[in-house]
Amino acid sequence: MQQNNSTTEFILLGLTQDPMKKKMVFVMFFIFYLGTVVGNLLIVVTIKSSRTLGSPMYYFLFYLSLADSCFSTSTAPRLIVDSLSVKNTITYNECMTQVFALHFFGCMEVLVLILMAFDRYVAICKPLHYPTIMSRRVCTILIVLAWIGSFIHSIAQIILALRLPFCGPNLIDHYCCDLQPLLKLACMDTYVINLLLVSNSGAICSSSFVILMISYIVILHSLRNHSTEGRKKALSTCTSHIIVVIIFFGPCIFIYTRPPTTFPMDKMVAVFYTIGTPFLNPLIYTLRNAEVKNAMRKLWHIKITSESRR
């Protein structure tokens, strides 16, 4: 797996080297990660078990929650464990695996957000054709294409990472392995690879954000023709989606669409979209969505009732 490397492992410097702050990092991110996994899996179980959440929007939300759990799992557990360790080493192969997982599930989240925007566009702007356009077969094909697209993107990233030769310092000033911090350690001119990184990850982030914002502007513009009740419901759903898009793509664009320079705030920005966004998504989608809240209440009421009867 290695190419032209004398480096077999890296040392992750994490968010801080201060022992007291490391304990705070452990407590804080353990709570965040636990909340992320429980919140997203609760949505997954609710959508899978509920008969009222069978529409394409919830079909895509199911995969968004799944991607969120995996995306957070690609970085958070190591950050939590490393906050209790003295020397935080990661092998070369583990580092490459983390790069792959981070980009695979991150790209999956991007593509599912686009599918959710497309679903809302068809539902609001083409309501009569909605059942035909967004049939279960079409939705399944779109999700399969999203998995394939994510795989292609992450393979492209891992190919770039594998081309980097490491022969000197092995200190990664980050809490996880990603191409940006790895470029700083490479024993070669990384201008071309950084250009490829920007044209791959940067282009995906920027173009997806533009597509999503244009689609929601079109959707909101078309709401003028709807009834007050329909407008209120559609506005509530779209607002949730727009909030998620902004808090995910803002940091993502900041990290991946710039020259090979690093800033002190990079790690905190990365924390926001790798750990913060997956934690916030379940809260945003459940607190602002009456159908999901009602389905959750029914599901857990049935479970509690069946348990008490035993």
Side-chain angles (χ1 to χ4, degrees), residues 60-120:
F60 294 136
L61 180 57
F62 172 89
Y63 284 100
L64 181 70
S65 295
L66 205 61
D68 269 337
S69 294
C70 297
F71 185 49
S72 185
T73 301
S74 67
T75 57
R78 177 166 283 277
L79 171 60
I80 293 162
V81 172
D82 284 354
S83 63
L84 296 177
S85 309
V86 179
K87 195 179 181 184
N88 310 324
T89 58
I90 182 169
T91 66
Y92 179 88
N93 287 353
E94 285 172 347
C95 185
M96 295 301 115
T97 303
Q98 192 173 53
V99 170
F100 180 85
L102 188 68
H103 284 273
F104 181 75
F105 294 111
C107 186
M108 185 64 188
E109 188 163 345
V110 168
L111 296 176
V112 173
L113 286 171
I114 290 172
L115 293 180
M116 289 175 83
F118 176 66
D119 171 69
R120 289 302 82 203

Side-chain angles (χ1 to χ4, degrees), residues 286-304:
T286 52
L287 294 177
R288 295 187 59 86
N289 193 307
E291 285 180 316
V292 175
K293 280 193 282 189
N294 292 335
M296 279 184 180
R297 283 195 202 103
K298 284 179 187 173
L299 174 68
W300 296 109
H301 176 71
I302 291 165
K303 285 197 179 287
I304 291 164

Side-chain angles (χ1 to χ4, degrees), residues 22-67:
K22 283 178 88 170
K23 286 174 186 171
M24 288 167 64
V25 166
F26 171 78
V27 173
M28 189 166 65
F29 288 102
F30 180 77
I31 293 167
F32 268 118
Y33 180 60
L34 195 64
T36 299
V37 173
V38 170
N40 281 295
L41 291 183
L42 187 60
I43 289 177
V44 165
V45 171
T46 303
I47 292 171
K48 203 73 179 167
S49 309
S50 176
R51 290 175 185 173
T52 58
L53 304 178
S55 68
M57 185 176 81
Y58 297 113
Y59 179 74
F60 294 136
L61 180 57
F62 172 89
Y63 284 100
L64 181 70
S65 295
L66 205 61

Side-chain angles (χ1 to χ4, degrees), residues 164 166 178-186 190 193-194 197 260:
L164 297 172
F166 303 103
D178 199 4
L179 274 169
Q180 240 82 7
L182 286 173
L183 286 172
K184 287 180 70 179
L185 303 180
T190 57
I193 288 184
N194 188 75
L197 174 64

